[in-house]
Amino acid sequence: MRAGDFVWSMFPFDDAPESPGPARHVALVVAVASPNALMRSALGGRATDIVVCLYTTSRIGRFEAELPVGVVPVSLELARRHDQQVPFLIDTRRRAFLPPTSNFFPDIGAANGGVIASIEAQLFSRVKEAMKRVNDRHRHHITNAGPLRPRGT
Amino acid sequence: MTVSIMLDPSVYETAKRVADKDGIQVGELVADLVRRHAAMVDAFGDIANDQVRFDIDNYDIRREPGESDAEYADRVALFR
């Protein structure tokens, strides 16, 4: 699993942000983070990576005519190039910080690690630009989920 | 918000000396110490629970194959 992969996840819902969500959901990995040397030494053998994911949804009609800042639309044609059969949205405002475990990534033990497809470079650039825009100007719209989300969020 | 705190004169003297050295006010020094101590207490609490929450100061973002220096720096900046 690496940045730019679409993966099957149990993306946590807002009402239980610490726990795996109730249904399989496609998420986009934007980073895999490993404890730095200081943390590794403090944690010993218990150091755990964190997978940072974005929420995606195929409910493309959920927003009014204009998409909110931070939501990136993926057309049917582009979706098909990513092994998905319907257009979908990538919501860069909705983020999860998850351990790479099977309760959050149900297919992590499979040969492909639960990876559905890797994102095309141009689309990934759009996603990163949208994340930056949200970080810079709409930070209050960010929701972080997952047991390893930053403290206080 | 402004509050007053009681400091032992010898502690104040030490704080004033250190703050003067850093070119800051004693209040700024105290605020910085409180913030840093709180972060340390939180981090040790996480370690005790075997779950260290994401903080860009404690984690390295893994660099992906083929990612240029500029692309990597931009991606890391997204988590600051």
Side-chain angles (χ1 to χ4, degrees), chain A residues 4 9 12 29-30 38 41 51 56 66 73 75 94 107 121 127 130 136 147:
Chain A
S9 74
V29 177
V30 286
L38 186 65
S41 111
V51 182
T56 77
E66 198 171 331
S75 68
R94 198 166 164 190
D107 295 343
V127 168
D136 291 348

Side-chain angles (χ1 to χ4, degrees), chain B residues 16-37:
Chain B
K16 181 84 172 73
R17 179 173 52 81
V18 172
D20 286 348
K21 239 180 185 175
D22 280 354
I24 58 176
Q25 301 291 316
V26 169
E28 291 173 80
L29 176 73
V30 170
D32 183 50
L33 290 172
V34 168
R35 271 194 289 269
R36 278 197 283 164
H37 187 70

Side-chain angles (χ1 to χ4, degrees), chain A residues 11-12 17-19 30-33 49-54 92-101 104-105 131 135 139 142-151 153, chain B residues 51-56 59 61 78-80:
Chain A
F11 201 100
E18 305 273 336
S19 308
V30 286
V32 178
D49 286 351
I50 298 179
V51 182
V52 188
C53 299
L54 301 180
T92 70
R93 306 167 305 169
R94 198 166 164 190
R95 307 167 184 184
F97 295 74
L98 307 173
T101 53
F104 284 102
F105 299 98
M131 275 185 83
N135 289 354
R139 197 166 270 275
I142 296 172
T143 59
N144 290 325
L148 301 175
R149 68 190 185 280
R151 189 170 292 285
T153 65
Chain B
Q51 286 200 325
V52 179
R53 288 169 176 259
F54 181 83
D55 182 325
I56 197 66
Y59 281 85
I61 301 292
L78 294 173
F79 301 98
R80 292 202 181 281

Side-chain angles (χ1 to χ4, degrees), chain A residues 117-137:
Chain A
S118 291
I119 197 167
E120 291 182 2
Q122 200 175 6
L123 178 56
F124 202 23
S125 292
R126 280 170 56 205
V127 168
K128 288 182 281 188
E129 281 164 20
M131 275 185 83
K132 184 172 186 316
R133 204 171 310 128
V134 169
N135 289 354
D136 291 348
R137 297 185 195 167

Side-chain angles (χ1 to χ4, degrees), chain A residues 40-60:
Chain A
R40 278 202 308 278
S41 111
L43 286 164
R46 296 168 296 151
T48 306
D49 286 351
I50 298 179
V51 182
V52 188
C53 299
L54 301 180
Y55 183 81
T56 77
T57 177
S58 56
R59 290 172 54 211
I60 56 173

Side-chain angles (χ1 to χ4, degrees), chain A residues 59-76:
Chain A
R59 290 172 54 211
I60 56 173
R62 65 186 301 175
F63 298 111
E64 300 295 325
E66 198 171 331
L67 289 175
V69 171
V71 177
V72 178
V74 180
S75 68
L76 177 59

